């Protein structure tokens, strides 16, 4: 049941994994749990795959991408809550969730190819299309993440209620809340961006120390609040040109 890394779909094929398909996965009636692994193989495993609840995508050229429903095989003490043995998790490609530690992917989530959730990482109500790493006590909640290259969430950092169409690197206690992101963004320490629209060009935007911003439109490259190549404006600033056009 191994899915080799060289079978992962190419970048232009990744875009064919549409949001509508993932929504279909979440709305399709599920089969009854019928774990087909033997009792011997199940011993010591944190979770098992429900082989009766599998979804597939035809990627063309004879490549089939399979998503397996996971089921907790022991109690999992994740920092975001206790997962009881027998509880259903989300759909993942094989190998996307570590069998070690207390990481988990909840039942409303889908985790695609070249992703890895380890440590005490947590994914809830989210779609990780490809190339996302979550570790330590990092979390992605209520978000859609589609990197251009790779997105990583480590330390105690969190992506919450965001739309990511680029590469985000979070560490420390960084928090990205109710934001949209294009291009590259890196955040560390106790930084926080809330309800912002971010577009990092070229090598992207870096946010460090305890910097916090709310309801800003941020575009450019360099160190936020230091670089003269970054434009910052109010995200919801009133546009008088719209009013003038109506007169």
């Amino acid at each position: 049941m191994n899915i080799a890394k060289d079978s992962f779909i190419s970048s232009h094929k990744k875009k064919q994994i549409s949001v509508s398909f993932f929504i279909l996965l979440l709305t399709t009636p599920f089969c009854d749990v019928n774990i087909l692994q033997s009792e011997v193989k199940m011993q010591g495993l944190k979770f098992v795959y429900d082989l009766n609840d599998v979804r597939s995508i035809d990627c063309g050229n004879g490549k089939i991408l399979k998503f397996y429903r996971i089921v907790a095989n022991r109690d999992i003490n994740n920092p975001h809550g206790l997962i009881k043995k027998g509880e259903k998790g989300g759909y993942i490609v094989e190998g996307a969730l570590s069998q070690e530690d207390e990481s988990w992917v909840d039942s409303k989530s889908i985790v695609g190819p070249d992703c890895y959730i380890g440590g005490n990482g947590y994914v809830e109500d989210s779609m990780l299309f490809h190339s996302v790493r979550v570790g330590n006590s990092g979390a992605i909640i209520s978000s859609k993440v589609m990197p251009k290259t790779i997105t990583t969430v480590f330390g105690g950092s969190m992506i919450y209620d965001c739309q990511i169409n680029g590469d985000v690197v979070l560490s420390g206690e960084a928090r990205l809340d109710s934001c949209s992101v294009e291009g590259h963004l890196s955040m560390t320490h106790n930084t926080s961006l809330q309800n912002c629209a971010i577009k990092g060009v070229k090598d992207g935007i870096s946010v460090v120390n305890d910097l916090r911003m709310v309801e800003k439109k941020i575009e450019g490259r360099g160190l936020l609040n230091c670089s003269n190549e970054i434009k910052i404006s109010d995200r919801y600033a009133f546009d008088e040109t719209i009013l003038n056009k109506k007169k």
Side-chain angles (χ1 to χ4, degrees):
M1 195 171 64
N2 287 330
I3 302 176
K5 287 190 176 180
D6 57 8
S7 68
F8 288 147
I9 51 179
S10 61
S11 59
H12 71 279
K13 287 293 185 181
K14 290 173 183 174
K15 295 179 181 178
Q16 295 179 354
I17 307 176
S18 65
V19 174
S20 59
F21 178 82
F22 284 114
I23 293 173
L24 176 62
L25 284 182
L26 292 176
T27 55
T28 303
F30 302 136
C31 305
D32 292 336
V33 173
N34 181 14
I35 307 301
L36 300 185
Q37 287 100 331
S38 68
E39 290 294 329
V40 174
K41 284 182 68 176
M42 289 172 60
Q43 288 179 4
L45 295 180
K46 180 174 74 179
F47 70 93
V48 292
Y49 299 101
D50 179 2
L51 301 183
N52 273 359
D53 197 352
V54 182
R55 302 291 184 265
S56 300
I57 299 176
D58 186 348
C59 301
N61 298 321
K63 294 180 180 178
I64 303 296
L65 188 61
K66 292 185 177 181
F67 292 80
Y68 299 88
R69 168 77 78 178
I70 58 172
V71 181
N73 194 46
R74 63 167 173 82
D75 288 354
I76 300 171
N77 293 298
N78 188 274
H80 291 270
L82 175 66
I83 295 92
K84 300 291 289 183
K85 180 178 179 179
E87 185 174 333
K88 293 182 182 181
Y91 286 97
I92 68 172
V93 297
E94 187 182 2
L97 178 64
S98 172
Q99 286 285 2
E100 305 296 326
D101 300 311
E102 307 300 309
S103 54
W104 187 243
V105 175
D106 92 320
S107 62
K108 295 181 181 180
S109 297
I110 301 168
V111 178
D114 205 22
C115 292
Y116 189 74
I117 317 301
N120 291 326
Y122 183 66
V123 179
E124 176 185 312
D125 193 19
S126 295
M127 300 177 188
L128 312 187
F129 287 79
H130 61 84
S131 308
V132 179
R133 310 283 193 272
V134 182
N136 304 125
S137 296
I140 299 178
I141 298 174
S142 301
S143 298
K144 295 178 182 178
V145 184
M146 190 171 186
K148 299 297 181 185
T149 305
I150 191 170
T151 283
T152 60
V153 182
F154 288 102
S157 60
M158 179 184 293
I159 294 175
Y160 179 80
D161 192 25
C162 293
Q163 176 77 47
I164 310 295
N165 292 295
D167 299 327
V168 172
V169 177
L170 298 189
S171 61
E173 298 297 321
R175 171 97 178 206
L176 196 58
D177 188 344
S178 304
C179 294
S180 65
V181 178
E182 295 181 32
H184 183 82
L185 170 71
S186 65
M187 300 174 62
T188 188
H189 301 109
N190 290 311
T191 53
S192 172
L193 297 178
Q194 181 178 357
N195 205 2
C196 293
I198 303 134
K199 184 175 183 180
V201 301
K202 295 185 179 179
D203 46 353
I205 296 170
S206 297
V207 190
V208 299
N209 299 324
D210 295 326
L211 182 62
R212 301 186 176 211
M213 287 192 176
V214 178
E215 294 186 356
K216 296 297 183 182
K217 185 176 181 181
I218 305 165
E219 182 174 349
R221 58 181 293 196
L223 191 61
L224 188 59
N225 256 18
C226 293
S227 173
N228 57 11
E229 295 185 64
I230 297 179
K231 293 168 137 188
I232 303 173
S233 59
D234 291 336
R235 186 178 186 182
Y236 303 113
F238 180 70
D239 188 349
E240 292 186 1
T241 61
I242 297 176
L243 184 61
N244 293 333
K245 285 180 182 179
K246 291 182 178 181
K247 290 182 179 180

